[in-house]
Amino acid sequence: MAGKTLPLDPVVNILVNLAAKSAVRKAFNLALLIGETTIIPQSERIRTYTGISEMLEDGFKTTDRLYKAAALIFGQAKTPPKVAIGCIGTVTEDETTRVETPVETIAACREANGEWYVGIYCADITKAEHLTVAEYIEAITPNSLYTYTTSDADVLTNDDGNIFAAMKAKNYRRSLGQYSSKHDDAVCAIIGWAMGAMTGTAGSAYTIAYKTEVGVETENSSSVFASSTVDKIKGNNGNVYINRGSSYDIFEEGTMADGTWFDEMIFLDKYQNDMQLSLMDLLYQSNKIAQTEAGMTQLKDAIKEVCETMNKVGFIKSGVWNSTAVLSLAKGDTLPNGYLIQSEAIDEQAQADRDARKAPNIYVSLKLAGAIHHVTVQVDVNR
């Protein structure tokens, strides 16, 4: 039996390096419902729930507006894993206490929790307050969306200053409105569906057009709702829930106030988030990224992973580049996987940028898979 022995390290030295954890990617599947409640104290501001049963256990009642809004979130064909509930607080000024304005509340909720993506104000709110919240949402970080429900009659007649027209005039890209005379918070239904659809699995990219809002009546469920009225709503980039052809209860049509599609906003926001974190993880976990073409390849490989994910879910696909030229990418060229990543030559970098350890500019060109919402078929019959 051996006595005291000497270590093996001088002969065989094993180094075990455990990689640092990558930052958790936001799933972009959390909606925030803001309303009046005494269950969540202002000091806490936000609580998350995995279902309406948890809300009941916490003290909410089935008659509470926030409960009914959450029931829409969780009641859709696609269901998110949780919802955030935020409380409206108070502000004390000059020894006088008042209720927070909607924008003050949503700003406080943004500060309290950075994970929620879509904010919905489930309480009384004026047209001017809608616009103030929309203005705030356009500018904040991290990227967020504001969605709301209106029953204002002037959106049906397209009167001057109606909320859809006012939002459109401001070119707000991060606000989506739905007209509903049937439910105070009808938009929660389509947002619940959208949050539930953010699974990240293959082929999971979606559009919210023509989806069913479970728990919401269509506008023409019991009375006439003219096609011309629908056209006026949609002409101002508003949205509405209607029945077509007797059998189809559908949400039309999924546009933000400036006309941008909701699905493009959420997937591009997720793409930006994931690419930023992917590059940060690479910088954080590496001893260094050399200021060489090999180093640039490392950066572009990190971006490539995110692009491949967008291809997998079906948000980008192979197609022809029909925009202006980008470095070597010319109009008419095909992007085989829906993307092309290019960078400026490292040898041509300005010395000042090299001294500052900046990477040459990287250019990513994406070809969106798009979505078909309208179909025309010509049928020719010969006898």
Side-chain angles (χ1 to χ4, degrees), residues 253-266:
E253 186 163 19
T255 54
M256 312 305 292
D258 75 335
T260 302
W261 298 107
F262 173 90
D263 53 284
E264 291 181 355
M265 290 301 304
I266 191 170

Side-chain angles (χ1 to χ4, degrees), residues 258-322:
D258 75 335
T260 302
W261 298 107
F262 173 90
D263 53 284
E264 291 181 355
M265 290 301 304
I266 191 170
F267 279 101
L268 286 174
D269 280 349
K270 180 165 176 54
Y271 176 80
Q272 178 185 347
N273 173 80
D274 290 357
M275 184 164 62
Q276 185 177 46
L277 293 180
S278 182
L279 288 169
M280 187 62 204
D281 284 342
L282 178 64
L283 294 171
Y284 177 67
Q285 295 171 9
S286 303
N287 286 339
K288 78 169 185 176
I289 305 297
Q291 214 162 358
T292 62
E293 289 298 343
M296 293 301 296
T297 297
Q298 285 182 271
L299 295 175
K300 288 188 282 189
D301 282 346
I303 296 172
K304 180 180 178 181
E305 290 183 12
V306 182
C307 292
E308 285 293 327
T309 298
M310 289 291 107
N311 177 278
K312 179 191 74 173
V313 302
F315 181 61
I316 62 174
K317 287 295 177 182
S318 175
V320 175
W321 184 253
N322 290 317

Side-chain angles (χ1 to χ4, degrees), residues 27-29 78 117-118 145 190-201 203-209 211 261-267 313-315 370-371 373:
F28 285 77
N29 62 358
K78 295 185 182 294
Y117 179 63
V118 180
L145 300 183
I190 201 65
I191 295 304
W193 192 100
M195 298 297 93
M198 291 298 293
T199 61
T201 54
S204 59
Y206 63 84
T207 170
I208 58 175
K211 303 304 184 290
W261 298 107
F262 173 90
D263 53 284
E264 291 181 355
M265 290 301 304
I266 191 170
F267 279 101
V313 302
F315 181 61
H373 286 180

Side-chain angles (χ1 to χ4, degrees), residues 3 23 25 43-44 53-54 87 101 177 190 211 237 307 362-363 374:
R25 305 306 193 248
S43 57
E44 185 177 352
S53 59
E54 283 191 357
C87 70
T101 64
I190 201 65
K211 303 304 184 290
N237 298 328
C307 292
I362 298 174
Y363 302 85
H374 307 277

Side-chain angles (χ1 to χ4, degrees), residues 100-112:
E100 288 176 332
T101 64
V103 73
E104 287 173 335
T105 299
I106 204 163
C109 288
R110 179 78 290 169
E111 290 295 322

Side-chain angles (χ1 to χ4, degrees), residues 20-250:
K21 286 186 177 181
S22 296
V24 177
R25 305 306 193 248
K26 287 180 67 175
F28 285 77
N29 62 358
L30 183 63
L32 169 70
L33 309 181
I34 300 170
E36 298 172 349
T37 178
T38 58
I39 293 169
I40 303 171
Q42 184 171 342
S43 57
E44 185 177 352
R45 186 61 77 168
I46 290 177
R47 286 182 189 173
T48 57
Y49 298 91
T50 59
I52 53 176
S53 59
E54 283 191 357
M55 293 181 67
L56 292 175
E57 292 169 3
D58 210 19
F60 284 94
K61 296 180 174 58
T62 57
T63 54
D64 291 343
R65 181 167 174 177
L66 282 171
Y67 172 88
K68 291 180 178 180
L72 288 184
I73 292 284
F74 288 117
Q76 306 309 305
K78 295 185 182 294
T79 305
K82 57 185 178 179
V83 70
I85 305 295
C87 70
I88 298 171
T90 58
V91 177
T92 301
E93 297 174 335
D94 299 326
E95 299 183 354
T96 301
T97 299
R98 63 169 176 82
V99 176
E100 288 176 332
T101 64
V103 73
E104 287 173 335
T105 299
I106 204 163
C109 288
R110 179 78 290 169
E111 290 295 322
N113 184 308
E115 287 300 307
W116 61 268
Y117 179 63
V118 180
I120 307 172
Y121 195 81
C122 303
D124 292 342
I125 182 170
T126 67
K127 188 184 305 180
E129 288 170 335
H130 275 311
L131 291 167
T132 302
V133 171
E135 179 183 46
Y136 169 79
I137 289 291
E138 288 290 317
I140 63 171
T141 301
N143 291 337
S144 309
L145 300 183
Y146 174 58
T147 64
Y148 63 96
T149 305
T150 181
S151 59
D152 291 351
D154 57 2
V155 305
L156 306 180
T157 54
N158 194 20
D159 290 354
D160 290 343
N162 75 79
I163 187 60
F164 290 161
M167 288 276 193
K168 180 183 178 181
K170 294 283 189 178
N171 286 311
Y172 286 144
R173 180 165 288 185
R174 297 190 166 275
S175 294
L176 176 149
Q178 176 180 347
Y179 173 80
S180 178
S181 63
K182 307 295 184 179
H183 197 295
D184 289 338
D185 302 301
V187 78
C188 291
I190 201 65
I191 295 304
W193 192 100
M195 298 297 93
M198 291 298 293
T199 61
T201 54
S204 59
Y206 63 84
T207 170
I208 58 175
Y210 310 137
K211 303 304 184 290
T212 298
E213 292 190 322
V214 178
V216 180
E217 288 184 49
T218 62
E219 290 307 305
N220 51 346
S221 61
S222 57
S223 59
V224 173
F225 198 76
S227 293
S228 59
T229 302
V230 175
D231 291 342
K232 287 173 183 175
I233 290 173
K234 292 166 63 174
N236 283 321
N237 298 328
N239 302 272
V240 65
Y241 188 52
I242 56 175
N243 176 276
R244 287 195 185 273
S246 298
S247 301
Y248 302 98
D249 293 341
I250 54 176

